[in-house]
């Protein structure tokens, strides 16, 4: 079934139509054959009938001849001689007619068909000569003659029966049978005539002859019965018309006389004439039947012939028309189907340009129309889609191009991670640069990182990524735990292991309701980290150097040079002692070292070289630790190590000192600059030391906006002046904390020193504190106490004069000499120093508010003004 | 919202109390070590727990294990001075839902609690 | 005891043919009838063992005679005698109880054969 369903349409048509055509052709063939056979049949029947008629004619004549011959024999040659001769020639003529008919060419088919029967018949007809001869010699009895002739006639009639008994037309067949019965009846009648003639001629009738006669008549009547039953109305009519009248009645009468066998006084010739008349009537009926049959067969054959041809013609015409219609419809259908097929094929190949054109209005035409509508619609939506696609393509290309551009040029490494931690195919070019590999796409990120980071970080990374893809976990919480947020990676490129600092950040990318990817950005922070470190180190280094420089600058170069020289020598002596006294008591050596270092530290403290005093202090501490336990040579090495370090520091400072000296040499006046800086520094230090000592917090401010520089001599003098003023301010001027709080002043006192250049060739040093100023009565009391003035003088003295008492020699506010606060020289020293500088001074104060002293120095413009920075840097 | 603070420092409690005034949070207890914390979780079944990692006795991770065994629905926020990220990740593995480094400031704490309780803004009345 | 046969035929020659044939074969001829009416009378009168009944009689058809006889209760065997081409008539006789039939024209021998068979 499936095979049938799958066949192409034209084969399906073939499958349907070919059997139909075959059936029609077969049917036509049968019809034509039937008609042809009918025609053939009737033709043949016609021929056989003609032949049969001739045979019947011959039989008819032979019947007569038989009767005459029997009469002749029965009358012992007296009667019927003439009649016999005459009849024989008639018989021969009939036989000749038969032979003529038989020789006709159209009869050949029949002669071939019924060869055996006709041969037998001919042989029988030929045997007639012998029989006739015997009759002439009168060597035959009547019954023998009867038998001979009857046999010939029987065979002849049988032959007729066989010849004409072959028709397919039932009606004709029936009439043929009727004719045959009739012929048989006639034969019996003829025999009856013969027997009757014989009986009447011999005037006797034996039993044998009688029964023969009876059965003959019975047979004859039976055949007539049969004939009448099956014969058609016309034959019956012929029969009843012809077989009637005087002669027939006479035959019946004479037959009854013979049958009664009582008297035979009837002239045999009368019987013969009557029966012959009846037989002739029978013959007439037979001829009429034969005639009708012949004409019927001729009709039949011609009608069969007509039927045959008309059928053939109609058949051909209808067949041709049917074929023509079929071929038109089928070829149209197939062509339409083919067109549709081509069209759909073209569409399937993507050619939407053309339409299908099927002009027919059947279903296929409708399909084609529908198809066209569909194709139009599809084309329309196709166009829309194409436009959308082009738009999308354009956008995509642009976006793609831009993102590729970004990916190529961005300095950050960017890629996506999928849920299996696989790195995306697309990643920024920077990735390769940062990691120094190009095997990135599709790699598992933790495998990728494995050789780069320490195992602990790797473990953390794997855990971290798992949490990153966990939708239940807050992204910020997870990102707080990013183990490679900033990580050092160890990267081997071409066998060289390099270290990099990278920052890796992770950002979730959400799909509908799950995390599809995580975007990873990687930045190489190596440079900035390294720079940071470098800067830190440099800063430290610079700080140390600055400290060294500053500490050197603060101190008098000759003093420091002496100290450094002395220290180096001392340290060397320790090493030497150790070298030479290896065997001696380490404890003693240690004690010696401690004492030596301690004295060096004391020296450093004295000259204010903190950096060295600190160093010596740390050596002291090291030794102190060793002292507590049993000392070994090895332990002592650490001490030596530190001593060596201190030695190096001394060398550094020496070279630094040389550099400073170079600066001095290059810029001769620059010495003053250094001294100026040292001045300020020592003043600052003094303030700090004094304020700590007196437990009065005091800040020192120095202001030199014009970068004015004091000359070398001035510096020394000024330093002493300032130191004296500072001592006085902190000791006497600036109040205790409690007092200051009470008076609403700032807790921290301050001392300001300012260099000014008010006019040409003059430099002013302005000293000012925010202490209590000058207490006139206190000064007066003290002056009285010291014996500088009397009570009376004191009472009379104006405030202005009184305050000047402080500059008097022997007026010292301090009761005892101490380390810091001068040695009782006070303001008188200040005054003498100012005078030494050929300077002037002006004092100012406000009780409880401030004390101010302005010193005006002669000053050479321009010469002293240099750029401070230059001096120090070079 | 019922909160349990597990920390050996009393400062922590004060900081949290001070900064969560605007939240509808009731501090139901404070444990100075793991054992005490587990006991309190069993008794009180708090909604939220802040947990220190470094504590005397049972350490924070072990304590977290026990807490999650008792009360899997508890939202645990790790608050630790420990900067080791692996430990923090392990805590997440074990079921912690928040993480905060010490020292904590008000803003960090508020943000962390918002995230933990899936709130974008603190509810201020 | 020989069987009695009634011969029914309109033809005297047929009757004499049948009579001579059957007498020769040793049957007793109960009578001859040349039409249906006399055939019925004779049959009822003679009560023959066998009736040879021609199918075509001047006054009625043979099977009609047979029907009357059967209606009258006569149980004689019957041989129908028929001309050629009357097969349907023969079948009607058979339906009415005819033992056999014979087609005219027949020979004496074939008639005797059929009659013997009927009595066998």
């Amino acid at each position: 079934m499936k095979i049938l369903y799958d066949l192409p349409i034209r084969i399906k048509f073939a499958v349907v139509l070919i059997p139909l055509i075959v059936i029609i052709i077969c049917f036509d063939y049968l019809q034509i054959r039937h008609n042809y056979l009918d025609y053939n049949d009737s033709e043949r029947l016609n021929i056989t009938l003609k032949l049969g008629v001739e045979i019947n004619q011959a039989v008819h004549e032979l019947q007569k001849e038989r009767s005459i011959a029997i009469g002749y024999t029965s009358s012992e040659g007296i009667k019927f001689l003439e009649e016999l001769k005459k009849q024989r020639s008639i018989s021969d003529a009939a036989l000749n007619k038969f032979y003529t008919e038989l020789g006709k060419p159209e009869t050949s088919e029949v002669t071939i068909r019924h060869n055996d029967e006709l041969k037998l018949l001919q042989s029988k007809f030929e045997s007639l000569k012998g029989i006739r001869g015997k009759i002439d010699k009168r060597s035959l009895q009547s019954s023998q003659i009867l038998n001979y002739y009857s046999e010939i006639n029987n065979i002849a009639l049988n032959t007729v029966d066989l010849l004409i008994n072959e028709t397919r037309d039932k009606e004709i067949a029936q009439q043929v049978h009727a004719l045959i019965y009739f012929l048989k009846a006639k034969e019996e009648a003829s025999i009856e005539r013969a027997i009757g003639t014989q009986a009447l001629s011999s005037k006797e009738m034996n039993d044998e002859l009688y029964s023969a006669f009876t059965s003959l008549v019975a047979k004859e009547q039976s055949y007539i019965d049969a004939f009448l039953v099956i014969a058609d109305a016309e034959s019956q009519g012929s029969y009843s018309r012809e077989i009637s009248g005087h002669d027939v009645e006479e035959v019946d009468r004479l037959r009854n006389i013979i049958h009664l066998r009582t008297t035979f006084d009837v002239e045999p010739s009368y019987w013969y004439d009557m029966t012959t008349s009846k037989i002739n009537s029978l013959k007439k009926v037979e001829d009429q039947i034969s005639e009708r049959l012949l004409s019927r067969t001729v009709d039949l054959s011609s009608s069969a012939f007509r039927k045959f041809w008309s059928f053939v013609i109609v058949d051909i015409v209808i067949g041709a028309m049917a074929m023509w219609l079929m071929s038109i419809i089928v070829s149209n259908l197939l062509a339409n189907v083919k067109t549709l097929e081509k069209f759909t094929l073209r569409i399937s190949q993507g050619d939407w340009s053309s339409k299908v054109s099927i002009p027919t209005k059947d279903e296929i035409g409708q399909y084609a129309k529908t198809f066209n509508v569909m194709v139009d619609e599809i084309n329309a939506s196709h166009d829309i889609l194409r436009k959308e696609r082009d738009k999308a393509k354009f956008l995509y290309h642009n976006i793609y191009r831009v993102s590729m551009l970004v990916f190529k040029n961005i300095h950050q490494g960017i890629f996506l991670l999928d849920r299996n931690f696989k790195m995306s195919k697309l990643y920024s070019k920077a990735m390769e640069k940062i990691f120094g590999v190009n095997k990135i796409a599709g790699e598992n990120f933790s495998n990728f990182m494995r050789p780069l980071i320490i195992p602990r970080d790797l473990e953390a990374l794997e855990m971290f990524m798992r949490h990153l893809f966990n939708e239940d976990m807050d992204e910020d919480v997870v990102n707080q735990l990013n183990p490679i947020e900033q990580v050092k990676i160890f990267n081997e490129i071409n066998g060289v292991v390099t270290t990099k600092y990278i920052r890796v950040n992770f950002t979730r990318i959400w799909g509908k309701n799950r995390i599809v990817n995580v975007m990873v950005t990687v930045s190489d922070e190596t440079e900035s980290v390294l720079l940071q470190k470098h800067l830190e180190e440099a800063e430290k280094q610079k700080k140390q150097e600055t400290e060294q420089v500053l500490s050197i600058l603060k101190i008098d170069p000759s003093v420091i040079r002496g100290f450094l020289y002395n220290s180096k020598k001392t340290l060397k002596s320790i090493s030497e002692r150790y070298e030479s006294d290896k065997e001696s008591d380490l404890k003693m050596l240690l004690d010696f070292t401690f004492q030596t270092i301690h004295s060096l530290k004391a020296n450093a403290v004295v000259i204010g070289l903190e950096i060295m005093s600190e160093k010596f202090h740390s050596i002291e501490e090291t030794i102190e630790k060793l002292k507590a336990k049993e000392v070994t040579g090895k332990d002592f090495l650490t001490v030596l190590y530190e001593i060596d370090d201190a030695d190096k520091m001394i060398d550094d400072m020496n070279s630094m000192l040389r550099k400073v000296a170079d600066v001095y040499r290059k810029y001769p006046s620059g010495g003053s600059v250094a001294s100026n800086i040292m001045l300020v520094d020592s003043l600052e230090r003094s303030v700090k030391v004094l304020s700590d000592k007196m437990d009065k917090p005091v800040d020192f401010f120095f202001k030199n906006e014009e970068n004015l520089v004091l000359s070398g001599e001035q510096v020394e003098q000024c330093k002493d002046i300032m130191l004296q003023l500072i001592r006085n301010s902190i000791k006497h001027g600036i109040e205790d904390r409690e007092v200051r709080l009470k008076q609403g002043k700032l807790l921290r006192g301050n001392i300001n020193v300012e260099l000014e250049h008010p006019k040409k060739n003059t430099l002013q040093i302005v000293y000012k504190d925010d202490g209590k100023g000058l207490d006139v009565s206190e000064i007066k009391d003290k002056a009285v106490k010291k014996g500088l003035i009397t009570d009376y003088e004191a009472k009379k003295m104006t405030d202005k004069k009184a305050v000047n008492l402080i500059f008097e020699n022997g007026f010292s506010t301090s009761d005892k000499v101490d380390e810091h606060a001068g040695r009782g020289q006070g303001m008188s020293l200040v005054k003498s120093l100012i005078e030494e500088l050929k300077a002037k001074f002006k004092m100012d104060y406000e009780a409880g508010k401030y004390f101010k002293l302005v010193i005006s120095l002669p000053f050479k413009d321009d010469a002293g003004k240099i750029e401070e920075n230059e001096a120090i840097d070079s | 919202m019922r909160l349990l603070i597990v920390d050996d420092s009393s400062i922590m409690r004060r900081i949290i109390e001070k900064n969560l005034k605007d939240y509808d949070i009731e501090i139901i207890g404070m444990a100075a070590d793991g054992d005490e914390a587990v006991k309190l979780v069993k008794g009180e079944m708090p909604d939220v727990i802040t947990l220190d990692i470094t504590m005397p006795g049972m350490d924070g991770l072990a304590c977290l294990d026990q807490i999650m065994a008792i009360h899997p629905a508890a939202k645990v926020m790790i608050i630790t001075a420990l900067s080791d990220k692996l430990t923090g990740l392990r805590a997440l593995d074990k079921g912690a839902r928040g993480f905060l480094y010490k020292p904590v400031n008000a803003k960090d704490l508020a943000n962390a609690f918002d995230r933990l309780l899936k709130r974008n803004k603190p509810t201020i009345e | 005891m020989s069987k009695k046969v009634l011969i029914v035929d309109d033809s005297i020659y047929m009757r004499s043919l049948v009579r001579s044939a059957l007498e020769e074969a040793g049957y007793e001829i109960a009578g001859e009838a040349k039409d249906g009416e006399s055939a019925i009378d004779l049959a009822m009168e003679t009560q023959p063992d066998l009736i040879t009944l021609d199918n075509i009689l001047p006054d009625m058809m043979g099977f009609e005679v047979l029907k009357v006889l059967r209606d009258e209760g006569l149980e004689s065997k019957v041989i129908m005698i028929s001309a050629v081409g009357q097969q349907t008539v023969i079948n009607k006789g058979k339906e009415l109880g005819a033992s056999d039939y014979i087609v005219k024209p027949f020979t004496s021998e074939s008639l005797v054969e059929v009659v013997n068979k009927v009595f066998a």
Side-chain angles (χ1 to χ4, degrees), chain A residues 125-246:
Chain A
F125 281 153
E126 272 152 26
S127 71
L128 204 60
K129 271 183 192 163
I131 296 166
R132 281 177 180 168
K134 281 176 187 167
I135 291 169
D136 288 347
K137 286 176 205 159
R138 296 197 7 243
S139 59
L140 291 174
Q141 289 187 353
S142 313
S143 59
Q144 282 175 309
I145 294 166
L146 183 70
N147 285 341
Y148 279 134
Y149 275 92
S150 295
E151 197 193 345
I152 292 168
N153 285 348
N154 257 332
I155 284 167
L157 286 178
N158 272 335
T159 305
V160 171
D161 191 356
L162 285 167
L163 282 177
I164 64 174
N165 197 10
E166 283 189 349
T167 177
R168 298 169 343 110
D169 189 303
K170 272 188 183 164
E171 183 56 32
I172 288 184
Q174 194 174 328
Q175 295 317 308
V176 165
H177 274 111
L179 176 61
I180 286 165
Y181 289 139
F182 189 80
L183 289 173
K184 282 182 175 168
K186 192 179 146 239
E187 166 68 4
E188 301 306 326
S190 158
I191 296 168
E192 182 197 356
R193 178 176 64 187
I195 290 173
T197 306
Q198 187 195 350
L200 292 174
S201 298
S202 56
K203 307 270 187 205
E204 60 168 6
M205 199 176 206
N206 58 20
D207 286 352
E208 195 188 340
L209 199 62
Y210 178 75
S211 88
F213 182 79
T214 310
S215 78
L216 205 62
V217 176
K219 233 175 173 181
E220 185 192 337
Q221 286 177 344
S222 297
Y223 281 131
I224 290 297
D225 282 352
F227 163 73
L228 288 174
V229 166
I230 60 171
D232 57 14
E234 285 172 53
S235 300
Q236 285 175 6
S238 298
Y239 180 79
S240 56
R241 201 166 47 247
E242 299 294 337
I243 310 305
S244 60
H246 173 264

Side-chain angles (χ1 to χ4, degrees), chain C residues 17-115:
Chain C
L17 178 71
V18 172
R19 174 189 280 269
S20 63
L22 294 183
E23 276 177 347
E24 207 165 296
Y27 292 97
E28 188 191 333
I29 303 303
E32 290 181 18
K34 63 174 171 35
D35 54 37
E37 208 169 314
S38 58
I40 291 161
D41 291 346
L42 209 53
M44 296 313 291
E45 186 189 319
T46 56
Q47 295 285 318
D49 298 299
L50 176 76
I51 304 169
T52 66
L53 182 57
D54 188 18
N55 198 33
I56 302 168
L57 296 171
D59 52 351
M60 55 211 294
M61 292 297 279
F63 67 85
E64 286 169 340
V65 175
L66 178 56
K67 191 169 185 302
V68 172
L69 290 177
R70 288 288 185 245
D71 289 347
E72 292 293 328
L74 192 79
E75 290 179 355
S76 308
K77 293 181 189 302
V78 173
I79 291 175
M80 301 291 293
I81 295 175
S82 143
V84 183
Q86 289 186 295
Q87 228 64 26
T88 49
V89 178
I90 289 162
N91 283 341
K92 253 181 193 162
K94 273 196 158 178
E95 279 166 27
L96 291 165
S99 303
D100 210 337
Y101 70 93
I102 189 161
V103 177
K104 288 196 285 188
F106 48 80
T107 58
S108 306
E109 294 76 34
S110 57
L111 175 69
V112 171
E113 198 181 321
V114 170
V115 172

Side-chain angles (χ1 to χ4, degrees), chain B residues 7 51-54 77-84 87-88 99-104:
Chain B
D7 203 300
L51 180 64
D52 191 11
I53 292 288
T54 46
M77 185 187 304
I78 304 293
I79 302 183
T80 179
L82 213 60
S83 65
D84 178 40
T87 311
F99 195 89
L100 206 53
Y101 288 113
K102 282 184 190 172
V104 293

